[in-house]
Structure formats: structure tokens, C-alpha cells
Amino acid sequence: MFKKILIANRGEIALRVIWACKELGVKTVAVYSEADAQGLHVRFADQAVCIGPPRNIESYLNIPAIISAAEITGADAIHPGYGFLSESAYLAEICEACNIRFIGPGPQAIRLMGDKSRARKTMQKAGVPVIPGSPGVLEDEAAAAKCAREIGFPVILKASAGGGGRGMRVVRAAPDLEPAFRAAQSEAQAAFGVPDVYLERYVDRPRHIEIQVMADTKGQVVHLGERECSVQRRHQKIIEEAPSSFVTEKMRRRMGQTAVDAAKAVQYVNAGTVEFLVDPAGNFYFMEMNTRIQVEHGVTELVTGRDLVKEQILVSAGEPLSFAQKDIVWTGHALECRINAEDPETFVPSPGVIRHMNLPGGPGVRIDTYAHDGCEVSPYYDSLVAKLMTYGRDRMESVARMRRALDVVVMEGIKTNAPLHRRIMDDPDFLAGRLDTHFMERFQPQKKKAAIAAS
Amino acid sequence: MFKKILIANRGEIALRVIWACKELGVKTVAVYSEADAQGLHVRFADQAVCIGPPRNIESYLNIPAIISAAEITGADAIHPGYGFLSESAYLAEICEACNIRFIGPGPQAIRLMGDKSRARKTMQKAGVPVIPGSPGVLEDEAAAAKCAREIGFPVILKASAGGGGRGMRVVRAAPDLEPAFRAAQSEAQAAFGVPDVYLERYVDRPRHIEIQVMADTKGQVVHLGERECSVQRRHQKIIEEAPSSFVTEKMRRRMGQTAVDAAKAVQYVNAGTVEFLVDPAGNFYFMEMNTRIQVEHGVTELVTGRDLVKEQILVSAGEPLSFAQKDIVWTGHALECRINAEDPETFVPSPGVIRHMNLPGGPGVRIDTYAHDGCEVSPYYDSLVAKLMTYGRDRMESVARMRRALDVVVMEGIKTNAPLHRRIMDDPDFLAGRLDTHFMERFQPQKKKAAIAAS
Amino acid sequence: MDLKELKEILQILEEKEITDFELEEEGMKLRIRKGPAASANHASAPILAPLVASVLPSLGGPVSAAAQASPAAVGAAATPTAEAEPGVTLVKSPIVGTFYRTPDPSAPPFVDVGDHIRVGQVLCIIEAMKLMNEIEAEVAGEVVKVHRESGQPVQYGDALFSIRADR
Amino acid sequence: MDLKELKEILQILEEKEITDFELEEEGMKLRIRKGPAASANHASAPILAPLVASVLPSLGGPVSAAAQASPAAVGAAATPTAEAEPGVTLVKSPIVGTFYRTPDPSAPPFVDVGDHIRVGQVLCIIEAMKLMNEIEAEVAGEVVKVHRESGQPVQYGDALFSIRADR
């Protein structure tokens, strides 16, 4: 086992890793920027090293400083958390070179999954369904028409250089394709300077459902079921749950096996998440694989009873997985609301000092947070202040618990999106499980973006 | 269902009941003494009524004030919590007379179980094992000798008027009985003015293990397994856990059935706890039945996934139990440390204002507390500030979580027994599950009382 | 300085959490103070204040829990602590119950504003558990205010009457 | 003073964590106070203080987590912030690593107390990721203190040397 783990992160996930290390009896080293000198991860780690000024690039993204901190403290492993350097193949490589274990997959798997088109090809080869689309840029209207016929309508035309919804055109029937193609081309030209356009099957009202996998160095890969993450705002998840009310037992087995296949195809080790786009008929398509622990891992922990962060550490230390696929049993239902320091109406970030705080407790409540009374929510870093999770025997019990938990969240001095979450908990669509990635656009239509589809 | 429940209590249990009511969609009324005007139960209930000055007798024990508060707010039920009026048959009767539902058993069951000798006789009749003993006061040495032979050694002689260990004599073999009897008599005479002495089987190194039962108005009684509560100081439980590492599956079934029999013998309704004294051989003896929800109910909730307070309310409203015996499945292990405002060495209460607080979070942690930053721990009421519970797949995981949770408990401004709990979590006897009610005397021998046995 | 500028200044002060602000300029003096009085310093007060409960007003109609939980919604402490003026005694309810100013619905009130009362005189009835509890005056003086209307619920410590005591 | 100037002042005060500020200029007087009244109770200070981290000292030997968690054990902030005297410049470590005063173990130190140094002169080496990073003087002056011993680990911002700058 490791003797000492350096946590190359801050905030709640740094604490989450510290809790796991403490439970395993492993010493911890926190690193921090000057802005986080008062942070709880600094206080509760066994040691702490200041690695630079507040700006990420000079501290939490500063690989030499982090490696140096590991060296001067004698840490034999680095846990990257999520965000920051967690998907840096380069850090994983440097760790290898410095004889420090990187707690995550190997650099090859990180790099491959980080390259979306390589990942897509690899997955296709492995038999993992990806969204059908043109192999590359479409030459002309004729090529587009041929491709669309093969794939089937509706399709979406996308600017190759695009992003943010610009140059996108949904086409629902063949006669509309030609004009749409030309329009997309000229839009792409105008917006990005290149007219290149490609085509994909358009998924109406898709859900974002992801599968948690865990793999050891012995080649064993186990999936821990799905998380429904369709409640998003601008591709930022804000509510996650497990299980998804849409996923049947059969579908879970199929998606789970597919995720395991995906992981095996890249010799994956450690925790990872395979994200799928799921259409209303239950067809699912590979979107990407996140090669790290995720923000929302807690809901999976609640329904499976497994500690994913401890498992990450054990697997990195060479232990076999502590469970086989047959040992994974799902019980009850868990929800997570991300409590962000932001205005619940305008979503403008609201950093500041939390002058007074009250957090919920009682049965079925889990809170992961770095917040405490008098703490500063720094303007330098992301706005996630707390992950409020509830657990119940069924979805309605976890919703009821989430409601009463949100009712008593007090964070004076900053604004949070807790009131937004509270309203969502009363929304008929949410309660009925009628979710897709456009849920938030319907829920707060005044905030609707110009973008057509983009998910 | 009830429309509005008045909670005749304060502190964490008042909040616990509020959480249950909120989850059920029932309105709540808090009552409070002038000392608790700032209490969270006052803040988070839908309504609140000041019922008197700080002293219990004028507020939380003031039945007319509480009934009046229910009447002026239109509450149709009263939840008494634990302590205070929770075992007042009189309050239960007055509620009946006033058409307010008392959330608990009927007054007859409360009264019977409150009378220790009637309870003992009723239990004996129902076939529940009680500690063998002389039927009453022993006339002379000969009667004592005869009785001791029947019961078997070791026995304990106790002063009929006694208490606190005075006039007690443990006798391990027949030849010692006669002198011990005379000594006990004269000690009893000296201490209490009457020489009356009786005799019971002496249980060496007993464990305190209790069974949670839940009964509905349809006559259904279900047990939810045991709690090990042997870690006590002066008969005050400080650590509880479920399951007990001493109790086998077979023993759980037997003790559970016995507790169900005990409850059925008194037509018990609602939540109750049958406390047993368990000897090292696994024999168990009825001690008493607590006719209320208990402080430590949370550990049972954690291992069974059942919400006992919601169940109390539902059962009181006439619903059948939401589970049958076969539905109760125990998973994992839960621990509770009672965080008291007291000096961890001297046990002197430490009321005051909590100026800064940090409570643990993360996986497997549950906290029930009324504390928040800036809150006052009142000198008027008991010293329980927070119930810190941890849950894990097995006992070692919940212990590891309790350790790391205790490590980060900060309550500036008052002293708490968290450091004591932290030390217990490293004690070899505790870790091995070698527990009995004398555990704390061995753990802190300097605090050992003069009393010989008394448990 | 116009209203708009003043608003902006106030906005800035709030953002920066400034509690004391004084500005003097030709012919103009501005002084802004926020929060608890500087002298006193109730360390706990500003911290606790937002957690002060809504009390009696909610007896009329339940306050939504969500609203209660919102820090903004709980500004005012609702217990009528009503500091008495010098020389004026506050008669507070000694019990929880329903306040009645008359012995029965058709009768005139026991006392009214302007009445002079003597020690031991019945001021009102508070009904609790079907019992009519007569509340008697403990001071002699003039009734200067009746704080509650007949038939209203009262909790322990609620102000009922203000009496200007005889000297 | 216009609003823009005022905002800038407030911004600076905030950055510098100044709580009291008074300015008098021809015909203008400005007074700003922030947070709880200065006289007594710094509500936030004592609250935050106990959560200040133990830092570098723990690099020497791990501090037990239990001890850290106990409020009593975390009194002193351990980062050597070492306020420089007037005229004395603090050279702080720009990187994390191991501090060496000599180019190799047998060599004499780059600089010592009493030495006069010029701008650009190498003061020490900090080893990070097997790289030897020479730290150069940015001011000329006299070395008045060496804060660290050779071979010790240093974190970002740790004081290394005090230099009394030439005037």
C-alpha cells in the first residue's frame, strides 16, 4: 500500500480523497495555492505545501510544482481528483518517470479517450455503438444526401470547426437536406472561415446516462450501474441520480456490458465513466469516456455501498478489485444536487465569504463540501460549494429528503442555486422522470440559448 | 394522515421529527422555552409556540402549556421525542381526552412498562426471560441459601431500598453466602434504615443489547434487530452500534422473537425498545422496555434502511406497518458516538456558545444535531449536542469512518467528548468487540466508581 | 450627489461589506453605518439574527418552510418583545392559550384603554385546555394599550396590556 | 472624488484587507470602516483563525491528524510570513523544491550573512524535479538573514533571505 498520497486538487474532492486515505490509514499531503491557505484540505491533510499563486496555471495546473511537492514530502502516489490535471496524460507520464504512482488510468488510455475522433474509432472497432454519422467532411449535397439516407432521418449537420451550436442544422426529412446543407456551409464559412460540414444522426430529446466502471491491474473490469445526468445547464450537470428511472434491468445489463467492453478495449485501469447519449427508444450511443473519478460518483456509492475513491487507491496500489460483477447490488435511490455559488436566476457566480452556514442532516443525507462558517468561496476557482446528496428506499423518498434538505440550506454571504434545485424538486416532469438534456431549457425558458440542439 | 404535528421536545430529536414530518408532507409546530427561542427546531418548524421559561418543569414538562399550544395551532397529533414527556402515560391520556393523537404506545403500556416490578411479572408470564431472583425480601440466611442454590452462583445480594451500589454483595460460592448476607443486611440497615435484602443471579461482564420493535394498530409486531449499547458511563450510553459483533444470526432471531412476544404481551403499538442484559454465554434477560423512540434509533435506520420516525407517525395515523418481518434485512454496520458538551476527562458539562463549528461529511456519515455556528448549548438541558453516526460495509469500515469523522469535529467555545470517542476507536478491546457494561470503567480506571457491580 | 450615485455607493458598500462610511465634501456630508451599532458589538447577534425564528405571526397562517429557510425572509424577530417605556409595565401572558377580553361574548371588556385598574383586578381571560384562567393585575395604574384582540391565540410571554403604573 | 476613484480605493482596501481608512484632503474627508466595529470584536477573525493550517513544520515530521484537528493544536499559522523591516527585502521561494546554499556539497555557500550582493547574483539553488534552479538576487544589498538551512524543503512563498537593499 502507499505510505503517503499527495492530492493534486482543492475543495470538496481534495477532502473526499483525504477521507478515503484516512480510512485506509494512508498519510496525506495537500497542495494549495496562496488563495487556499485557509482551506480545509490544507487543515485536514497530514501535511500541506503551498505550490503557487492563486491562478490555476501557476498552482493547481503547475506540474513541476506538484511533482516537487510530492518529492519533498516523500509522497509515493498522486491523486488528481477531477478537473485540473485529472485527465492529463502528461502528468501521468511524469509520475511514471518519477516513480510516483498516478492514481488513475495509464497515460495511453487517458490520451486516447481525450482525442474524441480516435476514441470514436476505437469504440466502433470494439463494437461499442457510436452515433452514426459521415466518416468525415461531406463533399457536396449528393454525398450528404447519400449519407443521410444510410443513417436515417432526422440528421444534424454540424460545422467541422464549430461549437456552441453555430452552423448546426437539424434536418427531419430528405427534401429539406439540400437547402439545409448549403445554409450550414455558408453559416460555417461565415462563423469559422471554413465551410466544412459533417453529418450525424440527430437524437431528439436525448438523455445523458453514464456508466461507472472500475478496473484493476489484473484485467478485471466491473460496472457499477448508471447515473442519470440529464439535468444540465449548458452542458454542466447540476442534478444526478442513480438509478435512472428510464433504465430497466435489462438495459442496465446491456449498457453496463458495453461500458465494460469499452474499458477493456483500451486496457483501462482504475475508475472511469462511459457517457452515453440515450434516445427515447432506449438506443444508446457512446459519447465519451471520462478517465477519472467524477463529481457525481457519490450517488453510485450510495446505491451500491461501495467506496469508489478507496477502491481507486487500492487498485492503484496493485490490489485486485474488492468486488466482482455479481457482488454489485443496487439498493434504493440516490440524488445529488450540486450547490453552486451562483445566482439561482441569472447563474452569475457569487463568490464571497460564507458568514453563516447551516447544512442539513438526519437520515439519508450525505454532504461533501469544503465549506464552513467563515470560509471564503474563492473567485479563482469553480463555483461548486457543496454536493448535497440524499438517499432513500425509492426515488420519491430521496426526492422528499432532498426537498427538506434544501429547505434548510443556509449560506449567508453568498448566493447559491439551492432555491433553483428546490423548485426542480417540485417540477412535474422531474418528478415523473421525464428528463432529457433539454430539461433545463424548458424549466427556465427565459434562459434558453440560441443554440438548436448541441448535446 | 395527520395535518399538523406538534413536537413536544427540543434539540436534535425535535429536528429529527421535523425532518420526518416534512418528508411526509405534514405541517409541524415547535414548542420552545424562552431559552430556546433561537433554536433550529423553532426556525425550521412551520409554526412555533413559546410555552414557558427555561426550566423544564415550566416548559417542556408543562403538559397544560403543550396541550394548549396544540389547541391554538390546531395540531392533531403530538410527537414527544425521547426524554421529557415521552414516557408520560398521563400526557398520553390527556391527548386521548383532547382528541389529539399521542405518537407512541397507549397509556396502559407506558404505565405498565414504567412500573419495573409489574413489568417483570408481566414479562415472566409471557415467557420472556428475566434475571432469576428471590421473589421478594429474604427472611434469613437459610432462605438466602435455598434461593441461591436454586438460582445458581454467582449471585448478588441487593438492598431492597438500595441504589448506587450500596448494600450490594456479589457471592460466587455457597460458603461465602452466610457472611455476605449478614454484611449486606447491616450495610443496608446502616445506609437505608432497613435491613431488607433480596437476591438475584449475578451476571458477570454483562452486555447491554436491545431490540428495536415496531408495532401497528392491526396487531402486527416486527423487530428490527439489535443494538449493542454496552459502552456506557454511569448507565448513560455513549456509543451504540448495530449489529452487535456478539450476536449471531440465530441469537438475533431468538432475541427478536422474545422482544416481539414482550410487545405483544402488552398490546404494544408504535416504536419501542426491549433492553436485555446478556451474559457471556449468550443468555439474555429482560431489563426493561422503553416505550418511545430512542436516541440511538439511527444506527438501526442505517442498517435496515427503514425510517423509524416516519414509521411511528404512519402507524399512529392508523396505517399498517410498511414492512413485515421477512422484509427486514440487515446490511453493513453502523456506529453512533454521542457528542456531548462535556469535558472528555472529567465529564463536567460544558455549556456555552459554539463560536465555530466543523462537522464531518463524505461517505457513510450521518449527523443529527441542532448545533450550528453561533448556537448556544444551553445549561438548562442535557449535554447531547450531536449524534455522529457512521456506516460501512462492515464494522471496521464504520470504525475507520468514525475515526476520520471524529478527527474533524470542531466545536470551538465548548468542550466535547469527541477526543474520548476518538481514543475509544483505537482501543483494542473495543476493536475486538470485547464489550460489556464495565468497559468504560476499564477504559478510564481513574474514574472507576466505588460501586461493585450495578448494571 | 444625486440618488443614483447614492444608490451606487450603497451598492458598493454592500458588496465590500463596509459597515461604516463617512464622506465630507464641499457642503456635503455623508455618513453611512450598517449593521449593529459600532459600540455594542454583539458578537453573536449578527450571526444568530438570521436564524431567529418566525413565531407568532405564523400562527395565523403557516409560513412556508422554503420561505423561512431563505435568509432574506427572516429579517424581523417576531416575538413581540415590546420594550416598555419607563413607568409603563407590560403585562405578559403567563400561559399559552386563547386570549379573551370579555367574560362572555356579550359582555363588555374587563378593561379598556384609559381605565384605571387596581392590583388584583381581572384584566382578561386566557383559555387553556378548556379552562378559563383569569389574569389579574399586579400593579395599579392606567391601561395605555391592549396588545391583542379578543379571541387571538397567545403564547407564553406575549405582551397583553401596557399599564402606566401609579407612582 | 468621483465614483470611479472611490471604487478603486475600495478595491485596494479590500485587497489589502484594510478595515479602517481615513483620508482628509482640501475640502474633502473620507472615512471607511469595514466589518464589525474595530474596538471590540472581530467577528470573523477569531472564527477563521483556528482553521489556519499547519504548514511547513509538518514537512519535517508528519503531524498527527488528531492533533491537527484539535482546535488547541493549530494556534500558530506556520507559513513564515516574516514581515520585512523597512528597507529589508525578503527573497521568497518562487518554486517548490529543496533549498541548497551551495553549488555542491563541498563548495562554500553562494552567499552568507554580511555579504554584499549585486543584482543577478546567484543566491541559492532550489532543486525541483531533478532540476537545479538558480535563484538570483533582484536587489543589491547586504544579506542580513538566511531563513533556511541547506537541504531543507521549501514551498512556494517561503522566505529564503533577507536583504538590506542599498539606497
Side-chain angles (χ1 to χ4, degrees), chain B residues 5 10 37 45 47 56 73 100 133 237 241 271 330 340 368 377 413:
Chain B
I5 293 175
R10 64 180 300 282
Q47 292 174 250
N56 286 339
T73 55
I100 296 169
K237 299 165 189 166
E241 59 184 298
W330 295 273
N340 295 331
D368 284 32
V377 176

mmCIF file of all heavy atoms in Angstrom, chain B residues 5 10 37 45 47 56 73 100 133 237 241 271 330 340 368 377 413:
data_model
loop_
_atom_site.group_PDB
_atom_site.id
_atom_site.type_symbol
_atom_site.label_atom_id
_atom_site.label_comp_id
_atom_site.label_asym_id
_atom_site.label_seq_id
_atom_site.Cartn_x
_atom_site.Cartn_y
_atom_site.Cartn_z
ATOM 1 N N ILE B 5 -48.438 18.219 13.165
ATOM 2 C CA ILE B 5 -47.922 17.529 14.355
ATOM 3 C C ILE B 5 -47.164 18.524 15.220
ATOM 4 O O ILE B 5 -46.322 19.272 14.719
ATOM 5 C CB ILE B 5 -46.995 16.354 13.943
ATOM 6 C CG1 ILE B 5 -47.822 15.275 13.242
ATOM 7 C CG2 ILE B 5 -46.263 15.786 15.147
ATOM 8 C CD1 ILE B 5 -47.003 14.115 12.676
ATOM 9 N N ARG B 10 -37.208 19.337 22.087
ATOM 10 C CA ARG B 10 -36.259 20.345 21.638
ATOM 11 C C ARG B 10 -35.042 19.634 21.023
ATOM 12 O O ARG B 10 -35.025 18.420 20.931
ATOM 13 C CB ARG B 10 -35.816 21.236 22.805
ATOM 14 C CG ARG B 10 -35.060 20.458 23.871
ATOM 15 C CD ARG B 10 -34.616 21.312 25.044
ATOM 16 N NE ARG B 10 -33.728 22.373 24.631
ATOM 17 C CZ ARG B 10 -32.420 22.221 24.349
ATOM 18 N NH1 ARG B 10 -31.853 21.031 24.468
ATOM 19 N NH2 ARG B 10 -31.683 23.235 23.983
ATOM 20 N N ALA B 37 -35.448 30.158 22.143
ATOM 21 C CA ALA B 37 -36.089 30.969 21.104
ATOM 22 C C ALA B 37 -35.287 30.968 19.810
ATOM 23 O O ALA B 37 -35.832 31.131 18.730
ATOM 24 C CB ALA B 37 -36.296 32.393 21.597
ATOM 25 N N ALA B 45 -39.521 24.567 12.006
ATOM 26 C CA ALA B 45 -40.917 24.115 12.053
ATOM 27 C C ALA B 45 -41.764 25.140 11.306
ATOM 28 O O ALA B 45 -41.366 26.289 11.110
ATOM 29 C CB ALA B 45 -41.373 23.988 13.490
ATOM 30 N N GLN B 47 -44.568 26.330 12.411
ATOM 31 C CA GLN B 47 -45.018 27.278 13.431
ATOM 32 C C GLN B 47 -44.259 26.971 14.713
ATOM 33 O O GLN B 47 -43.729 25.875 14.884
ATOM 34 C CB GLN B 47 -46.509 27.089 13.712
ATOM 35 C CG GLN B 47 -47.395 27.486 12.560
ATOM 36 C CD GLN B 47 -48.843 27.129 12.859
ATOM 37 O OE1 GLN B 47 -49.402 26.235 12.249
ATOM 38 N NE2 GLN B 47 -49.439 27.823 13.802
ATOM 39 N N ASN B 56 -37.352 23.090 32.753
ATOM 40 C CA ASN B 56 -38.160 22.021 32.155
ATOM 41 C C ASN B 56 -39.568 21.970 32.699
ATOM 42 O O ASN B 56 -40.528 21.820 31.958
ATOM 43 C CB ASN B 56 -37.527 20.663 32.461
ATOM 44 C CG ASN B 56 -36.284 20.430 31.644
ATOM 45 O OD1 ASN B 56 -36.116 21.061 30.618
ATOM 46 N ND2 ASN B 56 -35.434 19.547 32.100
ATOM 47 N N THR B 73 -52.874 25.953 17.839
ATOM 48 C CA THR B 73 -52.315 25.835 16.492
ATOM 49 C C THR B 73 -53.075 24.814 15.643
ATOM 50 O O THR B 73 -52.774 24.639 14.469
ATOM 51 C CB THR B 73 -50.834 25.394 16.541
ATOM 52 O OG1 THR B 73 -50.746 24.183 17.295
ATOM 53 C CG2 THR B 73 -49.970 26.462 17.181
ATOM 54 N N ILE B 100 -56.325 14.509 20.599
ATOM 55 C CA ILE B 100 -55.039 14.716 19.929
ATOM 56 C C ILE B 100 -54.325 13.375 19.970
ATOM 57 O O ILE B 100 -54.290 12.726 21.017
ATOM 58 C CB ILE B 100 -54.204 15.790 20.679
ATOM 59 C CG1 ILE B 100 -54.923 17.142 20.621
ATOM 60 C CG2 ILE B 100 -52.800 15.891 20.089
ATOM 61 C CD1 ILE B 100 -54.337 18.192 21.549
ATOM 62 N N GLY B 133 -34.279 -14.590 40.453
ATOM 63 C CA GLY B 133 -34.012 -13.941 41.729
ATOM 64 C C GLY B 133 -35.024 -14.383 42.767
ATOM 65 O O GLY B 133 -35.974 -15.122 42.467
ATOM 66 N N LYS B 237 -25.561 5.637 27.997
ATOM 67 C CA LYS B 237 -24.935 5.109 26.795
ATOM 68 C C LYS B 237 -24.126 6.220 26.128
ATOM 69 O O LYS B 237 -24.574 7.364 26.082
ATOM 70 C CB LYS B 237 -26.008 4.621 25.823
ATOM 71 C CG LYS B 237 -26.863 3.502 26.371
ATOM 72 C CD LYS B 237 -28.127 3.303 25.549
ATOM 73 C CE LYS B 237 -29.052 2.327 26.259
ATOM 74 N NZ LYS B 237 -30.419 2.343 25.683
ATOM 75 N N GLU B 241 -24.091 0.577 18.585
ATOM 76 C CA GLU B 241 -23.826 0.064 17.258
ATOM 77 C C GLU B 241 -24.822 -1.009 16.863
ATOM 78 O O GLU B 241 -25.485 -1.611 17.710
ATOM 79 C CB GLU B 241 -22.394 -0.470 17.149
ATOM 80 C CG GLU B 241 -22.044 -1.581 18.112
ATOM 81 C CD GLU B 241 -20.567 -1.990 18.000
ATOM 82 O OE1 GLU B 241 -20.160 -2.443 16.921
ATOM 83 O OE2 GLU B 241 -19.842 -1.856 19.001
ATOM 84 N N ALA B 271 -43.245 2.503 18.162
ATOM 85 C CA ALA B 271 -41.847 2.101 18.339
ATOM 86 C C ALA B 271 -41.553 1.826 19.798
ATOM 87 O O ALA B 271 -42.021 2.559 20.677
ATOM 88 C CB ALA B 271 -40.914 3.193 17.810
ATOM 89 N N TRP B 330 -30.667 -6.845 7.195
ATOM 90 C CA TRP B 330 -29.612 -6.020 7.784
ATOM 91 C C TRP B 330 -28.404 -5.989 6.862
ATOM 92 O O TRP B 330 -27.897 -7.034 6.451
ATOM 93 C CB TRP B 330 -29.224 -6.574 9.159
ATOM 94 C CG TRP B 330 -30.343 -6.475 10.132
ATOM 95 C CD1 TRP B 330 -30.644 -5.408 10.927
ATOM 96 C CD2 TRP B 330 -31.350 -7.466 10.414
ATOM 97 N NE1 TRP B 330 -31.770 -5.676 11.679
ATOM 98 C CE2 TRP B 330 -32.231 -6.922 11.381
ATOM 99 C CE3 TRP B 330 -31.619 -8.752 9.934
ATOM 100 C CZ2 TRP B 330 -33.332 -7.614 11.884
ATOM 101 C CZ3 TRP B 330 -32.711 -9.447 10.428
ATOM 102 C CH2 TRP B 330 -33.550 -8.887 11.394
ATOM 103 N N ASN B 340 -21.238 14.886 23.342
ATOM 104 C CA ASN B 340 -21.800 15.650 24.451
ATOM 105 C C ASN B 340 -20.950 16.872 24.747
ATOM 106 O O ASN B 340 -19.727 16.827 24.603
ATOM 107 C CB ASN B 340 -21.864 14.790 25.723
ATOM 108 C CG ASN B 340 -22.819 13.622 25.572
ATOM 109 O OD1 ASN B 340 -23.793 13.693 24.824
ATOM 110 N ND2 ASN B 340 -22.533 12.542 26.282
ATOM 111 N N ASP B 368 -26.995 13.949 13.237
ATOM 112 C CA ASP B 368 -28.243 14.522 13.725
ATOM 113 C C ASP B 368 -27.858 15.525 14.815
ATOM 114 O O ASP B 368 -27.311 15.130 15.852
ATOM 115 C CB ASP B 368 -29.147 13.433 14.312
ATOM 116 C CG ASP B 368 -29.829 12.604 13.232
ATOM 117 O OD1 ASP B 368 -29.232 12.416 12.161
ATOM 118 O OD2 ASP B 368 -30.962 12.148 13.461
ATOM 119 N N VAL B 377 -25.250 26.147 23.490
ATOM 120 C CA VAL B 377 -25.531 24.885 24.152
ATOM 121 C C VAL B 377 -25.979 25.272 25.550
ATOM 122 O O VAL B 377 -25.199 25.759 26.364
ATOM 123 C CB VAL B 377 -24.282 23.986 24.184
ATOM 124 C CG1 VAL B 377 -24.570 22.719 24.951
ATOM 125 C CG2 VAL B 377 -23.813 23.693 22.772
ATOM 126 N N GLY B 413 -15.501 26.848 21.621
ATOM 127 C CA GLY B 413 -16.337 27.541 22.594
ATOM 128 C C GLY B 413 -16.906 26.595 23.636
ATOM 129 O O GLY B 413 -17.239 27.001 24.731
#
